[in-house]
Amino acid sequence: MMEKIKPLRKSQYALDDMPEHEHKHCGHPSIGGPDASCKLCRIEVDKLNVSFGAQTPLKDVSLHIHCGELTALIGTNGAGKTTLLRALLGQIEYTGTVRHLTSDGRPAADLRTGYVPQQLEFDRSSPVTVMDFMAGSLSRRAVFLGVSKKTRAKVMAALERTHCAQLADRALGALSGGELQRVLLALALTPQPDLLILDEPVSGVDQNGLEEFYQTVDELKRKNHMAILLVSHDLGVVERYADRVVLMQGTVVKQGAPQRVFDSPEFEQVFYAKGGRA
């Protein structure tokens, strides 16, 4: 959804914590490779509303998502985090404005979005390997006809980016939770996205797998200067890896640097009002 660029109207909360001068220029580095060019500087969400009949799970949501940053959406269950993701992915209708802009303030064309879900539903008894799964997703050629050298090289390059090339010939169903999520991350990064969306990507993954996943994400963010939007209930992970935190409760209640949000009265009200974290 694009429209002529105009100044954003401030909502009650969303942009009050964002100084006028902040992020005026992207200044991203030139990154090599045919799929690695960063077209995006920021995504501006202005007065976004989502309604389902008489229910309005999102009202007046305004925020910025910048390339080269990991922005984390936090809040209790039912705060509207997944609904916002679905709106940004174009899966549900909304009112308001979402603008994809380049560093000079022009509309960014052909925005690429990568998505890593909470989990992949599939038959774990299936003999499908990681190579088969990736090749089937990245090539029009039927996997039962064999994987071409060109596609195999493409798959291996993708897996190497998330440090899991050694899993190529393993059965998909034999992978641990953390290994599977890194494979899904490799797929989401091929071709290189401008925006990477992570929806509770390590739910149920053990601590080692969790740390490996987020260390890989942090490395990719720094090397490729992509915009990353994360939904997570793990506030420790958010504190360690997020550049910006957006606290939601049907709207944007507070946003800013992690410690600024965590130390705010709004955070206290959302997570501790009933005597404990949600």
Side-chain angles (χ1 to χ4, degrees), residues 72-138:
L73 302 180
I74 64 172
T76 58
N77 290 331
K81 303 182 295 297
T82 297
T83 301
L84 177 58
L85 292 190
R86 292 180 64 197
L88 294 177
L89 288 168
Q91 296 177 348
I92 56 175
E93 293 185 359
Y94 61 87
T95 60
T97 307
V98 178
R99 304 183 186 92
H100 304 146
L101 304 177
T102 61
S103 57
D104 58 3
R106 297 180 181 181
D110 302 321
L111 182 74
R112 290 173 173 170
T113 302
Y115 176 69
V116 179
Q118 289 186 28
Q119 57 185 1
L120 179 69
E121 298 292 341
F122 66 101
D123 182 0
R124 285 192 167 271
S125 66
S126 170
V128 171
T129 66
V130 170
M131 177 61 68
D132 294 336
F133 171 70
M134 293 284 289
S137 302
L138 300 177

Side-chain angles (χ1 to χ4, degrees), residues 70 185 198 213-222 228:
L70 190 156
L185 177 60
L198 308 174
F213 182 88
Y214 282 114
Q215 286 171 7
T216 300
V217 167
D218 189 62
E219 177 186 340
L220 290 165
K221 179 195 72 174
R222 288 183 284 103
I228 301 175

Side-chain angles (χ1 to χ4, degrees), residues 78-246:
K81 303 182 295 297
T82 297
T83 301
L84 177 58
L85 292 190
R86 292 180 64 197
L88 294 177
L89 288 168
Q91 296 177 348
I92 56 175
E93 293 185 359
Y94 61 87
T95 60
T97 307
V98 178
R99 304 183 186 92
H100 304 146
L101 304 177
T102 61
S103 57
D104 58 3
R106 297 180 181 181
D110 302 321
L111 182 74
R112 290 173 173 170
T113 302
Y115 176 69
V116 179
Q118 289 186 28
Q119 57 185 1
L120 179 69
E121 298 292 341
F122 66 101
D123 182 0
R124 285 192 167 271
S125 66
S126 170
V128 171
T129 66
V130 170
M131 177 61 68
D132 294 336
F133 171 70
M134 293 284 289
S137 302
L138 300 177
S139 173
R140 295 180 180 179
R141 178 187 173 96
V143 173
F144 67 81
L145 296 176
V147 179
S148 68
K149 289 183 178 180
K150 182 178 180 180
T151 299
R152 179 173 287 275
K154 188 175 183 179
V155 169
M156 293 304 296
L159 294 175
E160 285 171 2
R161 293 189 71 191
T162 58
H163 309 297
C164 57
Q166 73 280 4
L167 304 176
D169 296 320
R170 292 266 302 278
L172 202 63
L175 301 182
S176 69
E179 289 171 339
L180 179 58
Q181 291 307 99
R182 279 192 288 145
V183 168
L184 294 180
L185 177 60
L187 183 59
L189 292 168
T190 311
Q192 172 76 33
D194 301 290
L195 171 65
L196 176 63
I197 293 179
L198 308 174
D199 186 7
E200 287 283 358
V202 289
S203 179
V205 175
D206 63 34
Q207 189 64 31
N208 288 337
L210 181 150
E211 291 295 341
E212 287 180 4
F213 182 88
Y214 282 114
Q215 286 171 7
T216 300
V217 167
D218 189 62
E219 177 186 340
L220 290 165
K221 179 195 72 174
R222 288 183 284 103
K223 286 185 176 180
N224 299 283
H225 209 75
M226 71 180 73
I228 301 175
L229 183 60
L230 166 71
V231 169
S232 179
H233 288 288
D234 190 330
L235 300 181
V237 163
V238 170
E239 188 172 21
R240 287 197 299 278
Y241 292 103
D243 300 289
R244 175 171 293 277
V245 175
V246 178

